[in-house]
Amino acid sequence: MVTEPVASVLAGLETERPALEDLYRDLHTHPELPHQETRTAALVAQRLRTAGCEVHEGVGGTGIVGVLRNGDGPTVLMRADMDALPVREETGLPYASSVTATDETEAEVPVMHACGHDVHVTSLLGAVALYAAAKEAWAGSLVAVFQPAEEKADGADAMVAGGLLDLVEKPEVALAQHVLALPAGSVGTRMGPVLSAADSMRVTVFGRGGHGSMPHATVDPVVLAAMVVVRLQTVVSREVAPTAPAVLTVGSLHAGSKSNIIADRAVIELNVRSYDDGTRTHVLDAIKRIVVAECQASGSPREPEFELFDRYPLTDNDPDATAAVTAAFAAHFGEAAGELPLQSASEDFSRLPDAWGIPYSYWGLGGIDADLYRVAEAAGRIAQDIPSNHSPTFAPVLQPTLDTGVTALVVAGLAWLAR
Ligand code: ZN
Ligand code: ZN
């Protein structure tokens, strides 16, 4: 039923392709840190205007919203994130980034599109251009949201706080995609939980400082923190059901300044990933319970302090919306469409649909040369040989990645918008 509209909208891809490839290389060469996406936002706004969109700039800082109206019909929201990471690019690509920028701590850092958000921006601009050129094939409104600061977990919230819900009517559905270390040309959908909820926690435990030669007169926070770190390893392995995936990683541990001084505190930073609220609450509570008990066991003179930060919501795909996207992908992509494995990464995209209380579907997009991927897969060396997102060597192949990114948005959107 939707085959004809899909063919009509995709008819423009051939013409758009060279400009989209140029745009992608340009974005890749000029990555911007979270909340600093001003150049990207200006490029996006200009292209949205060219496509005939109503454009809202500066939504939640650098966020951009383009609305393409085409008569009565459903409203579909599509979201692309725009920010890059403080990573020094080592891809060796002719369009590699050599950009540096000042981060929020005033440090000069290298910047790279190491998460592939440049693919998302280019794909969404491509889809908008194709929809704009084939208005006879569909009806309704397309809301294209270009979000800042996904990597800081606060870009989607910033757009909601910046008035997004007042700028556009309530959409029927929200859609988003992410380029991943999967074969280029492939797309993968998943019902229910697809990306983990993430919570970072800063734990400060207190000792009593003193001379390294007189430990009996102190409470050593290094030993206390070491006990906490070891004991935390039992949370997932002993307290969470084997059927409920969860991760608890201590990523940072700081105490002391000199070999013969016993410090008065230790700071532990840890990260938790989970896929349901029950597991999430249990793990966070278990951390506090263990820290408090270890402090007591050590005779710590002060209650420990806990601070939660960089919190990402669970990405939990709506079954009906995802069934519609999955069917549309199967009809168009055939064998290149499949099930996306559960991802341990996290996203703040769902805060946009959750703010309206609307269903959403989020899918994965392959970005790795398919032959290279197959060789690594056959050798059982995907984790070793295929760079993943955030790696300095993560370099999606330009094609068929971009074509697939544009096509996936067109095909999925038409499941609602096809005339
Ligand atoms: Zn990322
Ligand atoms: Zn990302």
Side-chain angles (χ1 to χ4, degrees):
M1 191 181 81
V2 297
T3 317
E4 254 183 274
V6 167
S8 309
V9 180
L10 286 179
L13 182 55
E14 198 81 19
T15 322
E16 286 292 330
R17 188 180 291 125
L20 289 174
E21 291 180 355
D22 284 347
L23 172 68
Y24 171 73
R25 283 186 286 256
D26 182 37
L27 291 171
H28 193 85
T29 311
H30 301 97
E32 293 172 300
L33 290 175
H35 297 298
Q36 301 181 16
E37 308 91 337
T38 49
R39 182 183 185 273
T40 309
L43 275 173
V44 166
Q46 176 212 326
R47 284 178 191 251
L48 290 174
R49 276 196 197 92
T50 306
C53 289
E54 161 194 318
V55 180
H56 304 275
E57 293 182 72
V59 184
T62 50
I64 301 278
V65 182
V67 186
L68 188 63
R69 297 195 191 281
N70 190 21
D72 289 340
T75 296
V76 172
L77 183 150
M78 295 183 186
R79 173 276 207 173
D81 39 9
M82 300 189 287
D83 54 324
L85 286 159
V87 171
R88 190 180 309 281
E89 180 155 1
E90 293 170 13
T91 60
L93 288 167
Y95 50 90
S97 158
S98 56
V99 167
T100 60
T102 308
D103 72 7
E104 74 274 18
T105 68
E106 301 295 313
E108 185 81 355
V109 293
V111 191
M112 172 191 176
H113 265 300
C115 203
H117 297 182
D118 43 357
V119 172
H120 310 161
V121 171
T122 308
S123 298
L124 184 48
L125 284 173
V128 169
L130 297 192
Y131 271 98
K135 285 193 159 176
E136 72 290 347
W138 61 284
S141 295
L142 177 61
V143 175
V145 172
F146 293 84
Q147 183 206 304
E150 185 280 326
E151 299 289 356
K152 287 277 175 205
D154 61 2
D157 272 347
M159 291 193 80
V160 172
L164 174 66
L165 273 62
D166 302 322
L167 289 178
V168 289
E169 65 274 20
K170 182 177 174 178
E172 209 110 323
V173 68
L175 306 172
Q177 60 183 357
H178 207 299
V179 65
L180 297 168
L182 294 168
S186 70
V187 288
T189 56
R190 188 176 185 91
M191 303 264 180
V194 56
L195 303 174
S196 69
D199 300 276
S200 286
M201 192 191 278
R202 189 173 294 113
V203 180
T204 307
V205 295
F206 297 94
R208 194 167 51 243
H211 200 288
S213 69
M214 293 184 281
H216 58 288
T218 72
V219 173
D220 189 342
V222 171
V223 177
L224 165 53
M227 292 299 186
V228 168
V229 172
V230 172
R231 182 82 200 208
L232 287 178
Q233 306 310 309
T234 65
V235 174
V236 173
S237 69
R238 305 289 83 184
E239 296 190 37
V240 176
T243 46
V247 181
L248 197 177
T249 293
V250 175
S252 154
L253 171 56
H254 287 278
S257 57
K258 200 170 181 297
S259 64
N260 66 350
I261 300 172
I262 292 173
D264 70 348
R265 68 191 60 198
V267 180
I268 300 163
E269 289 189 348
L270 55 85
N271 185 257
V272 174
R273 306 282 166 141
S274 57
Y275 297 89
D276 65 86
D277 285 341
T279 305
R280 184 181 205 174
T281 306
H282 182 94
V283 171
L284 294 176
D285 287 351
I287 293 166
K288 289 186 181 166
R289 188 191 73 233
I290 286 169
V291 171
V292 168
E294 287 294 345
C295 286
Q296 202 176 11
S298 293
S300 168
R302 218 173 118 187
E303 290 290 301
E305 289 172 4
F306 302 94
E307 184 197 338
L308 283 160
F309 63 101
D310 282 358
R311 309 188 76 188
Y312 287 87
L314 181 69
T315 306
D316 189 1
N317 276 337
D318 178 75
D320 294 337
T322 305
V325 172
T326 304
F329 282 179
H332 183 80
F333 290 105
E335 285 198 344
E339 189 182 37
L340 182 70
L342 190 63
Q343 302 289 307
S344 57
S346 308
E347 256 278 2
D348 69 344
F349 155 69
S350 65
R351 291 204 173 113
L352 301 177
D354 283 350
W356 268 293
I358 58 169
Y360 61 86
S361 193
Y362 182 94
W363 64 84
L365 184 70
I368 304 297
D369 178 81
D371 292 335
L372 207 79
Y373 191 90
R374 263 190 289 274
V375 170
E377 194 174 35
R381 291 186 54 85
I382 288 176
Q384 294 86 349
D385 294 352
I386 303 293
S388 61
N389 302 66
H390 291 207
S391 149
T393 55
F394 180 70
V397 285
L398 218 128
Q399 295 296 6
T401 308
L402 289 182
D403 275 5
T404 311
V406 175
T407 304
L409 289 170
V410 166
V411 169
L414 285 172
W416 283 265
L417 296 169
R419 207 188 273 277

